[in-house]
Amino acid sequence: MRTMWPATALVLFTVFALLGFGWRSWVQYRRTGSTGFRGLSGRFGSAEWFAGVGFVAALATAVLAPMLQEVGVVTPLTDAGWLHGVGVVLAVAGIAATVYAQIDMGESWRIGVDQTETTTLVRGGVFGLVRNPIFTAMLIFGSGVALVTPNVIAVLGFALLLGSIQLQVRVVEEPYLAAVHGAEYREYLAEVGRFVPRVGRRRTDSGG
């Protein structure tokens, strides 16, 4: 039986895309003359390349999951109404947190990494709580959308999102920032958690 939940998931994703990518890129262009898009990094088949491709695939899967559920190709793993409600709350919170963190990042906001480019290391606002608040917010949004239409495709999409974000942060962004900002970034690593406050800090003496 058809329900409102697939349509709800698609509306939430549309709002997320319009605000998190469209609106933010427009603001960045107005301020700097650049949209902030840097594209995929790394050679074909590298970890960097897989991080970018995985992220795009995760977004595509997040759209595909409610569409396939709407036409009956896949069915929800559970019909618990309260779970859908929790998903909506998480998705809305994720959208708001994404936009807030993007604003805190200011003109340093980018999608992707240009190894030849140097941006300011942002440590204020929410970046004083976690090093990657935008990705944290995206994961909150992704988990929420998956709960709105909790089918196997949605679960796969969230797994792709989690894996690609981990790759992007650990393999692409952290080495880049360490090379560009040196001691200041190593201090930041030791003081602030990766995605959750106080979790994932890296001591400079151990390098772990």
Side-chain angles (χ1 to χ4, degrees), residues 140-192:
I140 293 171
F141 170 78
S143 66
V145 168
L147 291 177
V148 174
T149 53
N151 58 59
V152 67
I153 302 299
V155 173
L156 174 61
F158 181 73
L160 278 172
L161 180 65
L162 178 60
S164 60
I165 284 177
Q166 288 282 357
L167 267 180
Q168 177 69 18
V169 169
R170 295 171 182 267
V171 177
V172 181
E173 298 195 358
E174 289 184 351
Y176 161 74
L177 291 170
V180 170
H181 296 288
E184 183 184 6
Y185 186 67
R186 290 193 294 272
E187 178 185 292
Y188 187 44
L189 286 175
E191 294 177 352
V192 179

mmCIF file of all heavy atoms in Angstrom, residues 140-192:
data_model
loop_
_atom_site.group_PDB
_atom_site.id
_atom_site.type_symbol
_atom_site.label_atom_id
_atom_site.label_comp_id
_atom_site.label_asym_id
_atom_site.label_seq_id
_atom_site.Cartn_x
_atom_site.Cartn_y
_atom_site.Cartn_z
ATOM 1 N N ILE A 140 23.644 12.849 9.985
ATOM 2 C CA ILE A 140 22.364 12.932 10.694
ATOM 3 C C ILE A 140 21.217 12.983 9.691
ATOM 4 O O ILE A 140 20.215 12.275 9.815
ATOM 5 C CB ILE A 140 22.333 14.168 11.612
ATOM 6 C CG1 ILE A 140 23.344 14.006 12.749
ATOM 7 C CG2 ILE A 140 20.932 14.388 12.191
ATOM 8 C CD1 ILE A 140 23.540 15.257 13.582
ATOM 9 N N PHE A 141 21.388 13.822 8.655
ATOM 10 C CA PHE A 141 20.363 13.895 7.613
ATOM 11 C C PHE A 141 20.195 12.553 6.913
ATOM 12 O O PHE A 141 19.072 12.079 6.703
ATOM 13 C CB PHE A 141 20.744 14.964 6.585
ATOM 14 C CG PHE A 141 19.877 14.933 5.355
ATOM 15 C CD1 PHE A 141 18.609 15.485 5.380
ATOM 16 C CD2 PHE A 141 20.322 14.339 4.181
ATOM 17 C CE1 PHE A 141 17.788 15.442 4.254
ATOM 18 C CE2 PHE A 141 19.527 14.289 3.057
ATOM 19 C CZ PHE A 141 18.244 14.846 3.086
ATOM 20 N N GLY A 142 21.313 11.931 6.550
ATOM 21 C CA GLY A 142 21.259 10.656 5.843
ATOM 22 C C GLY A 142 20.569 9.564 6.641
ATOM 23 O O GLY A 142 19.785 8.779 6.098
ATOM 24 N N SER A 143 20.846 9.514 7.943
ATOM 25 C CA SER A 143 20.188 8.513 8.787
ATOM 26 C C SER A 143 18.692 8.790 8.875
ATOM 27 O O SER A 143 17.869 7.865 8.875
ATOM 28 C CB SER A 143 20.816 8.494 10.182
ATOM 29 O OG SER A 143 20.579 9.720 10.867
ATOM 30 N N GLY A 144 18.333 10.075 8.930
ATOM 31 C CA GLY A 144 16.917 10.423 9.002
ATOM 32 C C GLY A 144 16.160 10.029 7.756
ATOM 33 O O GLY A 144 15.085 9.421 7.831
ATOM 34 N N VAL A 145 16.708 10.356 6.590
ATOM 35 C CA VAL A 145 16.044 10.005 5.330
ATOM 36 C C VAL A 145 15.914 8.484 5.193
ATOM 37 O O VAL A 145 14.904 7.979 4.704
ATOM 38 C CB VAL A 145 16.813 10.603 4.135
ATOM 39 C CG1 VAL A 145 16.330 10.022 2.824
ATOM 40 C CG2 VAL A 145 16.637 12.117 4.100
ATOM 41 N N ALA A 146 16.935 7.756 5.633
ATOM 42 C CA ALA A 146 16.878 6.291 5.567
ATOM 43 C C ALA A 146 15.760 5.741 6.445
ATOM 44 O O ALA A 146 15.128 4.734 6.106
ATOM 45 C CB ALA A 146 18.218 5.694 5.981
ATOM 46 N N LEU A 147 15.495 6.408 7.568
ATOM 47 C CA LEU A 147 14.422 5.953 8.457
ATOM 48 C C LEU A 147 13.043 6.334 7.931
ATOM 49 O O LEU A 147 12.057 5.674 8.267
ATOM 50 C CB LEU A 147 14.612 6.543 9.860
ATOM 51 C CG LEU A 147 15.804 6.013 10.659
ATOM 52 C CD1 LEU A 147 15.907 6.724 11.992
ATOM 53 C CD2 LEU A 147 15.684 4.507 10.870
ATOM 54 N N VAL A 148 12.962 7.370 7.124
ATOM 55 C CA VAL A 148 11.661 7.749 6.551
ATOM 56 C C VAL A 148 11.174 6.672 5.589
ATOM 57 O O VAL A 148 9.988 6.329 5.566
ATOM 58 C CB VAL A 148 11.767 9.121 5.839
ATOM 59 C CG1 VAL A 148 10.455 9.443 5.117
ATOM 60 C CG2 VAL A 148 12.079 10.223 6.845
ATOM 61 N N THR A 149 12.095 6.136 4.776
ATOM 62 C CA THR A 149 11.767 4.992 3.913
ATOM 63 C C THR A 149 12.788 3.885 4.208
ATOM 64 O O THR A 149 13.741 3.688 3.443
ATOM 65 C CB THR A 149 11.811 5.359 2.420
ATOM 66 O OG1 THR A 149 13.074 5.970 2.120
ATOM 67 C CG2 THR A 149 10.697 6.327 2.077
ATOM 68 N N PRO A 150 12.593 3.138 5.291
ATOM 69 C CA PRO A 150 13.605 2.183 5.747
ATOM 70 C C PRO A 150 13.616 0.882 4.954
ATOM 71 O O PRO A 150 13.262 -0.190 5.454
ATOM 72 C CB PRO A 150 13.205 1.948 7.213
ATOM 73 C CG PRO A 150 11.722 2.098 7.204
ATOM 74 C CD PRO A 150 11.430 3.173 6.192
ATOM 75 N N ASN A 151 14.041 0.977 3.694
ATOM 76 C CA ASN A 151 14.163 -0.226 2.873
ATOM 77 C C ASN A 151 15.635 -0.559 2.647
ATOM 78 O O ASN A 151 16.523 0.182 3.067
ATOM 79 C CB ASN A 151 13.418 -0.053 1.547
ATOM 80 C CG ASN A 151 13.913 1.144 0.746
ATOM 81 O OD1 ASN A 151 15.088 1.228 0.392
ATOM 82 N ND2 ASN A 151 13.017 2.098 0.462
ATOM 83 N N VAL A 152 15.894 -1.666 1.995
ATOM 84 C CA VAL A 152 17.268 -2.138 1.840
ATOM 85 C C VAL A 152 18.119 -1.173 1.005
ATOM 86 O O VAL A 152 19.318 -1.015 1.251
ATOM 87 C CB VAL A 152 17.280 -3.559 1.234
ATOM 88 C CG1 VAL A 152 16.762 -3.552 -0.193
ATOM 89 C CG2 VAL A 152 18.673 -4.175 1.311
ATOM 90 N N ILE A 153 17.520 -0.500 0.047
ATOM 91 C CA ILE A 153 18.255 0.470 -0.774
ATOM 92 C C ILE A 153 18.660 1.673 0.077
ATOM 93 O O ILE A 153 19.778 2.202 -0.045
ATOM 94 C CB ILE A 153 17.418 0.928 -1.985
ATOM 95 C CG1 ILE A 153 17.014 -0.282 -2.834
ATOM 96 C CG2 ILE A 153 18.198 1.926 -2.825
ATOM 97 C CD1 ILE A 153 18.177 -1.051 -3.401
ATOM 98 N N ALA A 154 17.761 2.129 0.941
ATOM 99 C CA ALA A 154 18.063 3.256 1.827
ATOM 100 C C ALA A 154 19.189 2.912 2.786
ATOM 101 O O ALA A 154 20.074 3.736 3.058
ATOM 102 C CB ALA A 154 16.812 3.665 2.597
ATOM 103 N N VAL A 155 19.186 1.695 3.306
ATOM 104 C CA VAL A 155 20.252 1.257 4.208
ATOM 105 C C VAL A 155 21.587 1.223 3.466
ATOM 106 O O VAL A 155 22.625 1.661 3.991
ATOM 107 C CB VAL A 155 19.922 -0.128 4.808
ATOM 108 C CG1 VAL A 155 21.112 -0.669 5.604
ATOM 109 C CG2 VAL A 155 18.690 -0.033 5.701
ATOM 110 N N LEU A 156 21.558 0.709 2.236
ATOM 111 C CA LEU A 156 22.764 0.688 1.414
ATOM 112 C C LEU A 156 23.279 2.108 1.154
ATOM 113 O O LEU A 156 24.481 2.378 1.222
ATOM 114 C CB LEU A 156 22.480 -0.004 0.080
ATOM 115 C CG LEU A 156 23.617 0.013 -0.955
ATOM 116 C CD1 LEU A 156 24.850 -0.698 -0.421
ATOM 117 C CD2 LEU A 156 23.159 -0.617 -2.262
ATOM 118 N N GLY A 157 22.353 3.026 0.875
ATOM 119 C CA GLY A 157 22.737 4.410 0.629
ATOM 120 C C GLY A 157 23.417 5.040 1.830
ATOM 121 O O GLY A 157 24.420 5.751 1.687
ATOM 122 N N PHE A 158 22.885 4.782 3.019
ATOM 123 C CA PHE A 158 23.503 5.349 4.226
ATOM 124 C C PHE A 158 24.872 4.741 4.470
ATOM 125 O O PHE A 158 25.809 5.440 4.879
ATOM 126 C CB PHE A 158 22.614 5.137 5.447
ATOM 127 C CG PHE A 158 23.211 5.725 6.700
ATOM 128 C CD1 PHE A 158 23.245 7.104 6.882
ATOM 129 C CD2 PHE A 158 23.758 4.906 7.677
ATOM 130 C CE1 PHE A 158 23.809 7.656 8.024
ATOM 131 C CE2 PHE A 158 24.325 5.452 8.816
ATOM 132 C CZ PHE A 158 24.350 6.831 8.993
ATOM 133 N N ALA A 159 25.012 3.439 4.208
ATOM 134 C CA ALA A 159 26.320 2.792 4.360
ATOM 135 C C ALA A 159 27.339 3.407 3.399
ATOM 136 O O ALA A 159 28.506 3.633 3.765
ATOM 137 C CB ALA A 159 26.194 1.291 4.120
ATOM 138 N N LEU A 160 26.912 3.677 2.153
ATOM 139 C CA LEU A 160 27.786 4.335 1.185
ATOM 140 C C LEU A 160 28.183 5.728 1.659
ATOM 141 O O LEU A 160 29.340 6.141 1.525
ATOM 142 C CB LEU A 160 27.089 4.439 -0.168
ATOM 143 C CG LEU A 160 27.124 3.209 -1.077
ATOM 144 C CD1 LEU A 160 26.205 3.434 -2.277
ATOM 145 C CD2 LEU A 160 28.541 2.926 -1.549
ATOM 146 N N LEU A 161 27.223 6.466 2.205
ATOM 147 C CA LEU A 161 27.496 7.815 2.691
ATOM 148 C C LEU A 161 28.515 7.776 3.827
ATOM 149 O O LEU A 161 29.487 8.541 3.831
ATOM 150 C CB LEU A 161 26.198 8.463 3.174
ATOM 151 C CG LEU A 161 26.322 9.885 3.719
ATOM 152 C CD1 LEU A 161 26.748 10.845 2.620
ATOM 153 C CD2 LEU A 161 25.005 10.338 4.355
ATOM 154 N N LEU A 162 28.309 6.874 4.770
ATOM 155 C CA LEU A 162 29.225 6.761 5.902
ATOM 156 C C LEU A 162 30.629 6.386 5.440
ATOM 157 O O LEU A 162 31.626 7.000 5.859
ATOM 158 C CB LEU A 162 28.698 5.713 6.884
ATOM 159 C CG LEU A 162 29.557 5.435 8.122
ATOM 160 C CD1 LEU A 162 29.737 6.697 8.950
ATOM 161 C CD2 LEU A 162 28.928 4.315 8.961
ATOM 162 N N GLY A 163 30.715 5.396 4.560
ATOM 163 C CA GLY A 163 32.022 4.957 4.083
ATOM 164 C C GLY A 163 32.744 6.020 3.279
ATOM 165 O O GLY A 163 33.951 6.234 3.454
ATOM 166 N N SER A 164 32.030 6.721 2.412
ATOM 167 C CA SER A 164 32.672 7.727 1.573
ATOM 168 C C SER A 164 33.115 8.934 2.390
ATOM 169 O O SER A 164 34.183 9.513 2.125
ATOM 170 C CB SER A 164 31.733 8.157 0.444
ATOM 171 O OG SER A 164 30.540 8.720 0.943
ATOM 172 N N ILE A 165 32.337 9.311 3.388
ATOM 173 C CA ILE A 165 32.736 10.423 4.247
ATOM 174 C C ILE A 165 33.972 10.059 5.058
ATOM 175 O O ILE A 165 34.900 10.872 5.206
ATOM 176 C CB ILE A 165 31.568 10.844 5.162
ATOM 177 C CG1 ILE A 165 30.537 11.635 4.354
ATOM 178 C CG2 ILE A 165 32.063 11.669 6.351
ATOM 179 C CD1 ILE A 165 29.305 12.037 5.141
ATOM 180 N N GLN A 166 34.011 8.840 5.568
ATOM 181 C CA GLN A 166 35.203 8.397 6.305
ATOM 182 C C GLN A 166 36.447 8.450 5.409
ATOM 183 O O GLN A 166 37.506 8.923 5.826
ATOM 184 C CB GLN A 166 34.991 6.982 6.839
ATOM 185 C CG GLN A 166 34.017 6.872 7.989
ATOM 186 C CD GLN A 166 34.619 7.288 9.325
ATOM 187 O OE1 GLN A 166 35.795 7.618 9.417
ATOM 188 N NE2 GLN A 166 33.801 7.267 10.372
ATOM 189 N N LEU A 167 36.318 7.957 4.190
ATOM 190 C CA LEU A 167 37.437 8.003 3.248
ATOM 191 C C LEU A 167 37.853 9.439 2.935
ATOM 192 O O LEU A 167 39.040 9.776 2.938
ATOM 193 C CB LEU A 167 37.061 7.298 1.949
ATOM 194 C CG LEU A 167 37.397 5.816 1.795
ATOM 195 C CD1 LEU A 167 36.933 5.323 0.430
ATOM 196 C CD2 LEU A 167 38.879 5.553 1.971
ATOM 197 N N GLN A 168 36.873 10.288 2.655
ATOM 198 C CA GLN A 168 37.157 11.671 2.299
ATOM 199 C C GLN A 168 37.907 12.390 3.417
ATOM 200 O O GLN A 168 38.895 13.092 3.172
ATOM 201 C CB GLN A 168 35.851 12.407 1.993
ATOM 202 C CG GLN A 168 36.000 13.885 1.672
ATOM 203 C CD GLN A 168 36.684 14.162 0.349
ATOM 204 O OE1 GLN A 168 36.766 13.278 -0.501
ATOM 205 N NE2 GLN A 168 37.151 15.386 0.181
ATOM 206 N N VAL A 169 37.452 12.190 4.639
ATOM 207 C CA VAL A 169 38.069 12.884 5.770
ATOM 208 C C VAL A 169 39.447 12.329 6.084
ATOM 209 O O VAL A 169 40.425 13.083 6.218
ATOM 210 C CB VAL A 169 37.153 12.793 7.010
ATOM 211 C CG1 VAL A 169 37.895 13.260 8.270
ATOM 212 C CG2 VAL A 169 35.898 13.628 6.800
ATOM 213 N N ARG A 170 39.560 11.007 6.182
ATOM 214 C CA ARG A 170 40.808 10.396 6.630
ATOM 215 C C ARG A 170 41.893 10.382 5.553
ATOM 216 O O ARG A 170 43.071 10.577 5.859
ATOM 217 C CB ARG A 170 40.544 8.960 7.105
ATOM 218 C CG ARG A 170 39.659 8.872 8.345
ATOM 219 C CD ARG A 170 39.274 7.426 8.614
ATOM 220 N NE ARG A 170 38.385 7.284 9.752
ATOM 221 C CZ ARG A 170 38.788 7.039 11.001
ATOM 222 N NH1 ARG A 170 40.080 6.905 11.249
ATOM 223 N NH2 ARG A 170 37.913 6.916 11.985
ATOM 224 N N VAL A 171 41.492 10.157 4.304
ATOM 225 C CA VAL A 171 42.479 9.956 3.245
ATOM 226 C C VAL A 171 42.748 11.232 2.452
ATOM 227 O O VAL A 171 43.852 11.439 1.959
ATOM 228 C CB VAL A 171 42.016 8.830 2.293
ATOM 229 C CG1 VAL A 171 42.986 8.648 1.133
ATOM 230 C CG2 VAL A 171 41.870 7.521 3.058
ATOM 231 N N VAL A 172 41.736 12.096 2.328
ATOM 232 C CA VAL A 172 41.886 13.295 1.495
ATOM 233 C C VAL A 172 42.100 14.549 2.343
ATOM 234 O O VAL A 172 43.119 15.233 2.227
ATOM 235 C CB VAL A 172 40.665 13.491 0.579
ATOM 236 C CG1 VAL A 172 40.844 14.726 -0.288
ATOM 237 C CG2 VAL A 172 40.443 12.257 -0.289
ATOM 238 N N GLU A 173 41.145 14.856 3.204
ATOM 239 C CA GLU A 173 41.150 16.165 3.848
ATOM 240 C C GLU A 173 42.166 16.291 4.982
ATOM 241 O O GLU A 173 42.850 17.319 5.090
ATOM 242 C CB GLU A 173 39.744 16.500 4.342
ATOM 243 C CG GLU A 173 38.744 16.596 3.203
ATOM 244 C CD GLU A 173 37.447 17.270 3.594
ATOM 245 O OE1 GLU A 173 37.295 17.643 4.778
ATOM 246 O OE2 GLU A 173 36.585 17.424 2.718
ATOM 247 N N GLU A 174 42.263 15.276 5.844
ATOM 248 C CA GLU A 174 43.204 15.402 6.962
ATOM 249 C C GLU A 174 44.654 15.499 6.494
ATOM 250 O O GLU A 174 45.400 16.367 6.984
ATOM 251 C CB GLU A 174 42.995 14.263 7.958
ATOM 252 C CG GLU A 174 41.697 14.413 8.744
ATOM 253 C CD GLU A 174 41.513 13.345 9.808
ATOM 254 O OE1 GLU A 174 42.314 12.374 9.835
ATOM 255 O OE2 GLU A 174 40.567 13.470 10.609
ATOM 256 N N PRO A 175 45.116 14.656 5.558
ATOM 257 C CA PRO A 175 46.489 14.833 5.053
ATOM 258 C C PRO A 175 46.705 16.187 4.375
ATOM 259 O O PRO A 175 47.762 16.808 4.542
ATOM 260 C CB PRO A 175 46.649 13.679 4.060
ATOM 261 C CG PRO A 175 45.690 12.642 4.530
ATOM 262 C CD PRO A 175 44.510 13.417 5.035
ATOM 263 N N TYR A 176 45.711 16.653 3.627
ATOM 264 C CA TYR A 176 45.824 17.956 2.961
ATOM 265 C C TYR A 176 45.958 19.083 3.984
ATOM 266 O O TYR A 176 46.841 19.951 3.876
ATOM 267 C CB TYR A 176 44.599 18.174 2.075
ATOM 268 C CG TYR A 176 44.354 19.612 1.692
ATOM 269 C CD1 TYR A 176 45.146 20.257 0.741
ATOM 270 C CD2 TYR A 176 43.326 20.339 2.299
ATOM 271 C CE1 TYR A 176 44.920 21.585 0.401
ATOM 272 C CE2 TYR A 176 43.100 21.666 1.961
ATOM 273 C CZ TYR A 176 43.897 22.281 1.016
ATOM 274 O OH TYR A 176 43.671 23.591 0.685
ATOM 275 N N LEU A 177 45.092 19.088 4.994
ATOM 276 C CA LEU A 177 45.127 20.146 5.998
ATOM 277 C C LEU A 177 46.407 20.089 6.829
ATOM 278 O O LEU A 177 46.960 21.131 7.211
ATOM 279 C CB LEU A 177 43.897 20.044 6.901
ATOM 280 C CG LEU A 177 42.566 20.394 6.230
ATOM 281 C CD1 LEU A 177 41.397 20.029 7.125
ATOM 282 C CD2 LEU A 177 42.514 21.873 5.873
ATOM 283 N N ALA A 178 46.880 18.879 7.099
ATOM 284 C CA ALA A 178 48.137 18.743 7.846
ATOM 285 C C ALA A 178 49.305 19.313 7.050
ATOM 286 O O ALA A 178 50.196 19.972 7.604
ATOM 287 C CB ALA A 178 48.387 17.279 8.188
ATOM 288 N N ALA A 179 49.297 19.088 5.740
ATOM 289 C CA ALA A 179 50.381 19.602 4.895
ATOM 290 C C ALA A 179 50.321 21.113 4.777
ATOM 291 O O ALA A 179 51.359 21.788 4.758
ATOM 292 C CB ALA A 179 50.301 18.957 3.512
ATOM 293 N N VAL A 180 49.106 21.665 4.716
ATOM 294 C CA VAL A 180 48.948 23.107 4.518
ATOM 295 C C VAL A 180 49.142 23.896 5.806
ATOM 296 O O VAL A 180 49.801 24.944 5.826
ATOM 297 C CB VAL A 180 47.557 23.410 3.917
ATOM 298 C CG1 VAL A 180 47.280 24.910 3.925
ATOM 299 C CG2 VAL A 180 47.469 22.864 2.503
ATOM 300 N N HIS A 181 48.595 23.385 6.915
ATOM 301 C CA HIS A 181 48.558 24.173 8.156
ATOM 302 C C HIS A 181 49.541 23.702 9.231
ATOM 303 O O HIS A 181 49.678 24.365 10.246
ATOM 304 C CB HIS A 181 47.135 24.184 8.713
ATOM 305 C CG HIS A 181 46.150 24.861 7.813
ATOM 306 N ND1 HIS A 181 46.117 26.226 7.627
ATOM 307 C CD2 HIS A 181 45.172 24.351 7.022
ATOM 308 C CE1 HIS A 181 45.155 26.534 6.776
ATOM 309 N NE2 HIS A 181 44.564 25.419 6.389
ATOM 310 N N GLY A 182 50.178 22.567 9.019
ATOM 311 C CA GLY A 182 51.254 22.130 9.889
ATOM 312 C C GLY A 182 50.906 22.036 11.361
ATOM 313 O O GLY A 182 49.926 21.386 11.748
ATOM 314 N N ALA A 183 51.679 22.721 12.197
ATOM 315 C CA ALA A 183 51.558 22.608 13.650
ATOM 316 C C ALA A 183 50.181 23.045 14.150
ATOM 317 O O ALA A 183 49.637 22.464 15.096
ATOM 318 C CB ALA A 183 52.648 23.432 14.330
ATOM 319 N N GLU A 184 49.613 24.068 13.521
ATOM 320 C CA GLU A 184 48.293 24.534 13.948
ATOM 321 C C GLU A 184 47.246 23.440 13.775
ATOM 322 O O GLU A 184 46.386 23.237 14.644
ATOM 323 C CB GLU A 184 47.884 25.774 13.158
ATOM 324 C CG GLU A 184 46.544 26.346 13.603
ATOM 325 C CD GLU A 184 46.079 27.521 12.761
ATOM 326 O OE1 GLU A 184 46.740 27.822 11.744
ATOM 327 O OE2 GLU A 184 45.045 28.122 13.108
ATOM 328 N N TYR A 185 47.323 22.714 12.663
ATOM 329 C CA TYR A 185 46.351 21.640 12.441
ATOM 330 C C TYR A 185 46.613 20.454 13.355
ATOM 331 O O TYR A 185 45.677 19.823 13.839
ATOM 332 C CB TYR A 185 46.366 21.191 10.984
ATOM 333 C CG TYR A 185 45.280 20.182 10.677
ATOM 334 C CD1 TYR A 185 43.942 20.555 10.724
ATOM 335 C CD2 TYR A 185 45.585 18.866 10.370
ATOM 336 C CE1 TYR A 185 42.934 19.651 10.463
ATOM 337 C CE2 TYR A 185 44.584 17.955 10.109
ATOM 338 C CZ TYR A 185 43.251 18.343 10.155
ATOM 339 O OH TYR A 185 42.255 17.432 9.915
ATOM 340 N N ARG A 186 47.884 20.144 13.621
ATOM 341 C CA ARG A 186 48.196 19.048 14.541
ATOM 342 C C ARG A 186 47.662 19.351 15.939
ATOM 343 O O ARG A 186 47.177 18.458 16.638
ATOM 344 C CB ARG A 186 49.699 18.796 14.568
ATOM 345 C CG ARG A 186 50.248 18.192 13.268
ATOM 346 C CD ARG A 186 51.659 17.666 13.432
ATOM 347 N NE ARG A 186 52.614 18.736 13.703
ATOM 348 C CZ ARG A 186 53.236 19.422 12.757
ATOM 349 N NH1 ARG A 186 52.994 19.181 11.479
ATOM 350 N NH2 ARG A 186 54.109 20.373 13.080
ATOM 351 N N GLU A 187 47.730 20.593 16.342
ATOM 352 C CA GLU A 187 47.157 20.999 17.627
ATOM 353 C C GLU A 187 45.645 20.827 17.616
ATOM 354 O O GLU A 187 45.041 20.363 18.589
ATOM 355 C CB GLU A 187 47.524 22.461 17.894
ATOM 356 C CG GLU A 187 46.948 23.029 19.174
ATOM 357 C CD GLU A 187 47.261 24.502 19.312
ATOM 358 O OE1 GLU A 187 48.446 24.847 19.489
ATOM 359 O OE2 GLU A 187 46.320 25.329 19.220
ATOM 360 N N TYR A 188 45.027 21.205 16.504
ATOM 361 C CA TYR A 188 43.578 21.061 16.340
ATOM 362 C C TYR A 188 43.165 19.593 16.398
ATOM 363 O O TYR A 188 42.164 19.233 17.040
ATOM 364 C CB TYR A 188 43.202 21.688 15.001
ATOM 365 C CG TYR A 188 41.721 21.787 14.704
ATOM 366 C CD1 TYR A 188 40.807 22.216 15.661
ATOM 367 C CD2 TYR A 188 41.240 21.487 13.423
ATOM 368 C CE1 TYR A 188 39.459 22.342 15.363
ATOM 369 C CE2 TYR A 188 39.898 21.613 13.116
ATOM 370 C CZ TYR A 188 39.012 22.036 14.090
ATOM 371 O OH TYR A 188 37.677 22.156 13.796
ATOM 372 N N LEU A 189 43.941 18.729 15.748
ATOM 373 C CA LEU A 189 43.677 17.291 15.792
ATOM 374 C C LEU A 189 43.664 16.758 17.214
ATOM 375 O O LEU A 189 42.857 15.891 17.573
ATOM 376 C CB LEU A 189 44.738 16.529 14.990
ATOM 377 C CG LEU A 189 44.701 16.585 13.469
ATOM 378 C CD1 LEU A 189 45.912 15.872 12.895
ATOM 379 C CD2 LEU A 189 43.424 15.965 12.929
ATOM 380 N N ALA A 190 44.579 17.252 18.026
ATOM 381 C CA ALA A 190 44.722 16.752 19.393
ATOM 382 C C ALA A 190 43.628 17.261 20.323
ATOM 383 O O ALA A 190 43.329 16.627 21.344
ATOM 384 C CB ALA A 190 46.091 17.138 19.945
ATOM 385 N N GLU A 191 43.010 18.391 19.961
ATOM 386 C CA GLU A 191 42.056 19.029 20.868
ATOM 387 C C GLU A 191 40.603 18.744 20.544
ATOM 388 O O GLU A 191 39.753 18.742 21.445
ATOM 389 C CB GLU A 191 42.275 20.546 20.856
ATOM 390 C CG GLU A 191 43.611 20.988 21.437
ATOM 391 C CD GLU A 191 43.806 22.489 21.338
ATOM 392 O OE1 GLU A 191 42.972 23.155 20.676
ATOM 393 O OE2 GLU A 191 44.785 22.981 21.920
ATOM 394 N N VAL A 192 40.275 18.512 19.272
ATOM 395 C CA VAL A 192 38.875 18.458 18.842
ATOM 396 C C VAL A 192 38.575 17.134 18.149
ATOM 397 O O VAL A 192 39.369 16.640 17.337
ATOM 398 C CB VAL A 192 38.571 19.642 17.883
ATOM 399 C CG1 VAL A 192 37.126 19.598 17.410
ATOM 400 C CG2 VAL A 192 38.867 20.964 18.566
#
